[in-house]
Amino acid sequence: MAFMTYPDGNSALEMQRIVDLDKIEGIIRPLGPILVKLYFNIVHPTFPILHKDTFLDKYARSYHEFSPPLLAGVYLIALN
């Protein structure tokens, strides 16, 4: 017997994730792209824990593609 789980785009958790991302982006707007650029120019070369190309491709499409803690973490680290 095996159980498989799949994320459901219509679930309450997914809706809360989108709300959280919108709040984060609303607080940081219009500095989001600048902070992402700072993160990859200053932090990433020394501490490369994210795959730069993948992150930037997703960010170019929409900030909704990230988990709220990841996006907030990138913004907060870049703010320092």
Side-chain angles (χ1 to χ4, degrees):
M1 181 190 283
F3 293 95
M4 297 181 76
T5 60
Y6 296 95
D8 182 6
N10 296 322
S11 72
L13 291 176
E14 178 65 12
M15 288 186 283
Q16 184 60 49
R17 186 183 73 81
I18 298 298
V19 167
D20 292 345
L21 285 166
D22 288 339
K23 286 180 185 176
I24 293 166
E25 195 65 25
I27 291 168
I28 210 71
R29 188 172 289 128
L31 301 176
I34 295 167
L35 292 174
V36 168
K37 185 177 179 178
L38 279 173
Y39 176 86
F40 283 106
N41 287 340
I42 296 170
V43 178
H44 183 74
T46 304
F47 195 58
I49 59 170
L50 299 175
H51 190 274
K52 182 178 180 178
D53 293 336
T54 302
F55 187 96
L56 293 176
D57 286 344
K58 285 184 171 189
Y59 193 78
R61 285 192 300 265
S62 173
Y63 63 87
H64 287 137
E65 295 200 24
F66 298 102
S67 70
L70 174 63
L71 187 63
V74 168
Y75 288 161
L76 287 172
I77 291 170
L79 279 171
N80 286 331

